[in-house]
Amino acid sequence: KKPKLDADNLEKYEHLTFIKKLLEMKKLDKMISTYISPILEMHDNGWIYPSMMQYGTTSGRYSCGGGLNLQTLPRDDKRIKRGFIAPPGYKIVNADFAGLEPRIFSWVSNDPGLKIVWQKGLDLYSQIAIDVFGLHQYSADPNAENFLKKKDPKMRDKAKVFTLAVVYGANAWRIAALMGVDTDEAQEIIDSYLDSYPALKTYMADSERAAQRNGMVRTKFGRVRHLQGAKELHRKYGTRITDKRAMKARCGDELGQELYYKYRNYMNNAKNFPIQSTAASVCNAALIKMSKLLRKNKIDGWIGLQIHDEITCIIREDQAELASELLKDTMEKNWVTASIDIAIIAEPMIADNF
């Protein structure tokens, strides 16, 4: 292979002043080309009109295109976000769902052990660490003296690595790489996790079975993800499709491996789609309700942006407090959240810039 020079390789020598400055320059150059230049080219008298596409994802979440993706604004470097300001006489009213995906994952799985975490106000990752690693001397209650997150945060961080990754299809090899352990230990962690939450294990199996038999999975709110290829591959190769070695023996190394990974991708989609799409439905229901409430309450303002689980409104300054209350109510209590027996939480804030 030819010598390769990229950020990953350069970071090994970040202790050298020249390399450190080179990496900083590379980040700044990317920020200029990805955000600053498109903003300068696209703005119309100081306003940006992003292309928000409701059909841009299979899950139902909005995507943003048209040369400037406002859903990927840098988190660590706040300078770009600080440049998005409320117009004179207006405020930005923003709210982000608190742990929406973990809450939805707990509800969709219908596992009592996961659901009770939220119902009792416990910390999800602390509880999973306690159950998986047998740390019963600790508590998942944030108010307890022996709260795991305070006493042994590293163990909680370990649980955070695999909690959603396993559900979304990460195998022992992937978990081993993420956690820095060998594959045998990673498999033990996966087995302990699924044994601790048997309904979660059932959910994963049922999702795969739906894709195999019906060529689709469906959320409880009716959105469908078509996975016809999963049905066709399973019908043609049976359980052999789940074994890479068997597929290589049947179809040859290259094709066998390609079909095996293609099928695995279908299975991963079958498991993560109901979770991510349900979260999207919560957001979309909130957007619709909020737009109606703005009109009903004669509020001078509008919904300006939705970024993943975050809704941003531009509201006239003297109506910002009312809009903040309406946004919280909208996000926590809509026709989708009414069916979810886990509290959905959103805390708004009022600000002058992003």
Side-chain angles (χ1 to χ4, degrees):
K1 293 182 178 179
K2 293 182 179 180
K4 186 178 180 182
L5 184 64
D6 57 18
D8 290 337
N9 285 308
L10 285 173
E11 282 171 5
K12 299 174 185 176
Y13 306 98
E14 198 171 2
H15 59 283
L16 300 173
T17 303
F18 170 74
I19 299 299
K20 187 175 182 179
K21 289 187 177 294
L22 189 63
L23 287 167
E24 288 174 0
M25 187 186 75
K26 186 177 178 67
K27 288 178 183 177
L28 289 172
D29 188 55
K30 184 176 181 181
M31 201 177 295
I32 290 170
S33 61
T34 306
Y35 304 107
I36 296 174
S37 294
I39 287 170
L40 293 174
E41 291 171 9
M42 292 174 61
H43 84 91
D44 182 0
N45 196 28
W47 289 87
I48 295 290
Y49 298 90
S51 179
M52 302 299 295
M53 297 175 287
Q54 191 175 15
Y55 54 85
T57 68
T58 54
S59 68
R61 290 181 184 273
Y62 278 87
S63 66
C64 182
L68 178 63
N69 187 357
L70 295 183
Q71 295 191 332
T72 61
L73 294 177
R75 289 186 178 183
D76 298 330
D77 192 323
K78 305 295 184 185
R79 287 176 292 180
I80 301 295
K81 283 189 172 183
R82 201 175 292 127
F84 287 86
I85 61 175
Y90 289 77
K91 291 284 187 180
I92 291 171
V93 178
N94 173 278
D96 195 357
F97 285 103
L100 181 60
E101 200 164 322
R103 290 171 192 266
I104 296 299
F105 133 81
S106 302
W107 178 72
V108 168
S109 72
N110 202 31
D111 190 281
L114 293 172
K115 291 170 73 173
I116 203 168
V117 167
W118 304 106
Q119 292 162 357
K120 288 188 173 182
L122 304 178
D123 178 67
L124 177 69
Y125 300 114
S126 292
Q127 187 61 58
I128 289 175
I130 290 167
D131 292 337
V132 172
F133 300 116
L135 305 173
H136 301 294
Q137 69 272 31
Y138 297 110
S139 171
D141 185 349
N143 299 313
E145 285 289 328
N146 59 339
F147 180 34
L148 179 67
K149 186 178 179 180
K150 291 181 180 178
K151 296 294 183 181
D152 196 346
K154 288 184 179 179
M155 294 305 293
R156 180 187 181 272
D157 289 343
K158 285 184 178 182
K160 201 170 183 179
V161 171
F162 63 77
T163 294
L164 283 170
V166 169
V167 183
Y168 289 170
N171 58 16
W173 291 96
R174 179 59 179 156
I175 297 300
L178 290 171
M179 297 185 69
V181 300
D182 60 44
T183 53
D184 289 339
E185 184 178 346
Q187 189 59 57
E188 288 177 7
I189 290 170
I190 293 171
D191 292 342
S192 179
Y193 176 38
L194 297 180
D195 288 344
S196 298
Y197 303 101
L200 176 60
K201 187 176 184 178
T202 300
Y203 160 76
M204 293 169 65
D206 288 347
S207 298
E208 290 186 355
R209 198 172 297 114
Q212 293 164 357
R213 293 179 177 178
N214 307 321
M216 68 171 70
V217 289
R218 187 189 303 269
T219 73
K220 294 180 181 180
F221 300 99
R223 192 172 183 90
V224 171
R225 175 73 188 268
H226 293 282
L227 300 166
Q228 187 62 28
K231 181 178 179 179
E232 293 170 357
L233 287 170
H234 191 262
R235 179 185 293 169
K236 184 173 183 178
Y237 298 106
T239 56
R240 187 184 287 109
I241 191 66
T242 64
D243 186 327
K244 184 161 64 173
R245 289 183 180 178
M247 287 302 295
K248 283 184 175 182
R250 170 73 183 272
C251 304
D253 284 357
E254 190 172 334
L255 179 59
Q257 180 169 287
E258 180 185 338
L259 293 175
Y260 166 79
Y261 282 116
K262 192 173 185 179
Y263 181 77
R264 262 192 62 185
N265 188 53
Y266 284 132
M267 293 299 101
N268 294 347
N269 285 329
K271 289 174 287 196
N272 71 42
F273 173 79
I275 298 168
Q276 296 196 1
S277 186
T278 299
S281 293
V282 171
C283 293
N284 292 342
L287 289 168
I288 294 169
K289 183 178 177 181
M290 185 62 180
S291 65
K292 291 179 178 178
L293 287 177
L294 289 175
R295 290 196 298 271
K296 181 179 179 181
N297 289 274
K298 296 182 171 54
I299 290 178
D300 181 4
W302 64 94
I303 299 170
L305 189 64
Q306 189 219 331
I307 302 176
H308 306 302
D309 301 334
E310 188 176 345
I311 296 175
T312 300
C313 302
I314 311 297
I315 306 293
R316 200 175 72 203
E317 192 167 0
D318 63 328
Q319 296 178 311
E321 288 290 346
L322 173 58
S324 176
E325 294 171 9
L326 294 175
L327 184 58
K328 179 177 176 65
D329 176 71
T330 287
M331 295 172 74
E332 295 181 351
K333 300 173 184 177
N334 55 59
W335 74 269
V336 176
T337 63
S339 301
I340 299 173
D341 59 357
I342 291 173
I344 303 300
I345 305 296
E347 292 298 336
M349 63 174 65
I350 299 171
D352 294 314
N353 61 56
F354 274 15

